[in-house]
Amino acid sequence: MALWADRLVKHEWKWVLALSLLGLALRIGYVLSQQPGFYFMDSLEYDRAARTFLETGHFDPKYYRLPLYPVFMAMVYSVFPSEPASLRLVQTFAGVLICLVVWGLARRLFGPPTALVALAGSVLFPVHIVLSGIEYPVLLGTLLIWLVLWALVAREQSESRSFELLLAAGLGAAVTAMLFEAGLVLGFFALLCVLGRRAPWQARLVDLAVLAILGVTLLGTWTLKMVRSDDFRPLVLKAGIHLPTAPGVDAPLWEGSGENLLSAKLAGLARNPGWTVRHFFREFFHFWNPYPDRIASADEKFRKKSHALDARMVVPNSLVGDLPRLLYAVGYSGLLFAAFLGAIAAFGNARGAVILMTWPVVLGLCYSPFFTQMRYRIPADPSFIIFGAYAVEAAIENTLWIRVIHFFKALWEGWKKIAEKIMVFWTFVLLLLLFVLIVGPIAILMKIFRKDPMHAPLAPGSFWALREKTREGMEECLRQF
């Protein structure tokens, strides 16, 4: 271990405590500096739903989002004054917990030095600081997601089939699914992780059944309530609104739970498969765009209009200014590049790291049929921070480029093996086509018309062509053809 890493490890817990307190101080300071109103329209809708739930025990009829975050807001409002500041202060602790989860997971995968660098990155990461002051479920959702990923990584690293870790992952995925849309992706991802685990097929099928039963049990009450009220808006309407409208489709105004809107858009996408595929890939690449765009609140006219509807909507919003977004794009580009190098360096070196590598990809793929924004990528940010920290450690130890080069050499050797298999397959296909479509028919025609272009008479009862003998002797015997 290098000298700098040895010093960090020697006082690891002091660093963890100091960085955690720093993270809490930064988040509390940011929250206290905010204005008392709301910065985004979604926050207003969640607040209305929470207040209605607190007063009546049920949501406002106009509310069509997932149910858990307004319940959380109502719980905070019932204990503390029902002002945004109280909720934001509570969320600062959730933000620090995310930092600690990042530290713990990085420590399990790569050791204390990388973990401390990842903890510092998570503490100072601007978006994670800002999230504490935004009334949106992505902060709590990200915390739950990474607790589930921690359980999946720990289970992957253990030799035994830990039933407790499986239950923890299933419970966390089910709760997150009622919090925001990425929770549904998390449930699907947990099933993929269990299915791809190194274990006998029978064991994997049992684990899948356990997750399915747990999900049905926990989500059953919410689903049954939707069935009884015939109100599927949290699932159907949100999907219908966020699906793209294919060319030539006149999307209707939604009615009921929005089935008509969803059906019209799905039918339009089915009639335009080329456009649908192009849209999917455009959105998948946009998922990685470091510049925060497609933000309605970035338009001052929109903020003024929202303020006219509800005076609690803040008009001056420095979070969505051009300069903050540009600075974020520059910093995030560096983080993505460092994470890319770190993932390459870590490939095959840490069991369970593949889970962290594939989570952002699966998240982007699941959002791509709809549309992608910067906020949809936030649940994947801890993965980039961890791999970026691993790249920093490897760079300080002067081993990063060696590992990257070794990875690409191994990739090249693997590609050559695949290319050889491809070559053998296509050689077989080409020779099959040659003999079946060309040589075979020609041979059949020659046989039918008794043609012998090679003038090769056969010996009776044999397929060998007779060779005319000229003379006996050593010279004749040596000339075999």
Side-chain angles (χ1 to χ4, degrees):
M1 185 179 294
L3 182 60
W4 70 274
D6 185 61
R7 290 178 179 176
L8 284 178
V9 174
K10 187 177 180 180
H11 304 284
E12 181 183 9
W13 292 105
K14 293 181 180 179
W15 281 107
V16 172
L17 179 60
L19 288 172
S20 300
L21 293 176
L22 175 62
L24 183 61
L26 288 174
R27 285 154 178 78
I28 291 177
Y30 171 74
V31 164
L32 294 179
S33 68
Q34 287 184 291
Q35 302 180 55
F38 295 96
Y39 289 83
F40 299 95
M41 281 298 298
D42 292 345
S43 301
L44 279 173
E45 294 186 19
Y46 284 119
D47 179 76
R48 293 192 194 103
R51 293 176 187 276
T52 303
F53 183 82
L54 192 61
E55 294 172 0
T56 64
H58 55 79
F59 294 130
D60 187 282
K62 296 181 180 180
Y63 182 77
Y64 62 89
R65 300 172 185 269
L66 295 173
L68 203 55
Y69 188 66
V71 174
F72 167 76
M73 294 178 70
M75 291 172 60
V76 175
Y77 289 168
S78 65
V79 178
F80 302 102
S82 55
E83 296 294 336
S86 60
L87 177 69
R88 294 166 182 171
L89 287 172
V90 172
Q91 290 188 151
T92 59
F93 292 93
V96 175
L97 286 177
I98 291 177
C99 299
L100 293 175
V101 170
V102 169
W103 166 75
L105 193 50
R107 195 178 194 276
R108 170 178 284 274
L109 287 171
F110 304 118
T114 298
L116 289 175
V117 176
L119 176 59
S122 184
V123 164
L124 301 174
F125 193 54
V127 170
H128 286 191
I129 296 174
V130 170
L131 280 179
S132 300
I134 299 177
E135 298 74 20
Y136 198 76
V138 68
L139 180 68
L140 290 179
T142 300
L143 175 60
L144 291 175
I145 284 173
W146 281 89
L147 288 172
V148 171
L149 294 180
W150 192 344
L152 292 174
V153 169
R155 194 167 188 267
E156 179 66 23
Q157 291 181 332
S158 64
E159 298 297 332
S160 61
R161 291 173 53 213
S162 174
F163 189 69
E164 293 79 8
L165 290 174
L166 181 65
L167 287 179
L171 176 64
V175 173
T176 312
M178 292 187 289
L179 193 64
F180 73 143
E181 292 77 8
L184 302 173
V185 182
L186 177 66
F188 173 67
F189 183 73
L191 294 176
L192 291 180
C193 289
V194 169
L195 190 62
R197 191 168 184 261
R198 298 176 184 176
W201 274 103
Q202 298 86 345
R204 282 183 271 182
L205 291 177
V206 171
D207 291 345
L208 287 175
V210 170
L211 286 180
I213 293 173
L214 187 62
V216 171
T217 303
L218 294 175
L219 300 177
T221 303
W222 175 49
T223 306
L224 185 61
K225 185 177 180 180
M226 288 193 294
V227 171
R228 288 177 175 175
S229 61
D230 194 25
D231 183 5
F232 297 92
R233 288 180 300 167
L235 298 177
V236 178
L237 181 57
K238 285 293 293 292
I241 291 174
H242 288 87
L243 271 178
T245 303
V249 176
D250 186 15
L253 294 176
W254 66 272
E255 298 176 354
S257 294
E259 296 92 342
N260 62 326
L261 177 62
L262 180 62
S263 300
K265 288 192 174 183
L266 287 176
L269 294 175
R271 291 195 300 268
N272 297 271
W275 185 91
T276 303
V277 172
R278 290 193 299 271
H279 169 83
F280 177 87
F281 283 105
R282 279 196 307 268
E283 292 302 314
F284 181 71
F285 285 114
H286 184 268
F287 180 79
W288 308 95
N289 182 12
Y291 186 79
D293 58 356
R294 301 178 176 179
I295 301 177
S297 296
D299 185 3
E300 186 176 0
K301 294 180 179 179
F302 175 83
R303 298 198 301 269
K304 290 181 178 179
K305 182 179 179 181
S306 302
H307 180 75
L309 297 175
D310 193 320
R312 295 177 299 164
M313 183 69 181
V314 175
V315 176
N317 190 345
S318 59
L319 297 175
V320 293
D322 293 336
L323 181 59
R325 289 193 288 168
L326 181 60
L327 292 176
Y328 172 82
V330 173
Y332 201 84
S333 298
L335 176 62
L336 286 178
F337 181 69
F340 175 71
L341 295 179
I344 290 176
F347 191 82
N349 295 328
R351 187 174 180 180
V354 175
I355 293 177
L356 270 65
M357 296 178 191
T358 52
W359 164 243
V361 177
V362 172
L363 186 65
L365 290 173
C366 290
Y367 272 118
S368 295
F370 303 93
F371 77 101
T372 54
Q373 285 181 306
M374 179 270 284
R375 62 176 178 173
Y376 298 153
R377 192 181 56 226
I378 291 176
D381 286 345
S383 180
F384 305 140
I385 293 173
I386 291 174
F387 286 116
Y390 186 66
V392 169
E393 182 197 358
I396 294 175
E397 294 180 351
N398 295 321
T399 60
L400 178 60
W401 294 113
I402 296 175
R403 297 179 188 181
V404 171
I405 292 172
H406 176 74
F407 169 81
F408 282 108
K409 284 184 177 179
L411 189 65
W412 175 248
E413 293 299 324
W415 165 248
K416 288 196 293 186
K417 293 180 180 179
I418 296 174
E420 183 180 1
K421 302 293 184 182
I422 296 174
M423 177 191 67
V424 171
F425 171 78
W426 283 111
T427 300
F428 176 80
V429 171
L430 291 175
L431 290 177
L432 180 67
L433 294 175
L434 174 65
F435 282 98
V436 171
L437 300 180
I438 300 176
V439 177
I442 293 176
I444 293 174
L445 292 175
M446 292 296 178
K447 189 70 174 178
I448 293 175
F449 294 104
R450 300 180 181 275
K451 298 292 183 180
D452 185 13
M454 299 184 67
H455 306 290
L458 303 178
S462 172
F463 290 101
W464 289 94
L466 297 177
R467 180 172 63 84
E468 181 183 356
K469 295 183 178 180
T470 56
R471 60 185 180 181
E472 300 291 338
M474 182 61 70
E475 183 180 354
E476 178 70 20
C477 293
L478 293 175
R479 189 173 63 84
Q480 298 180 20
F481 302 100

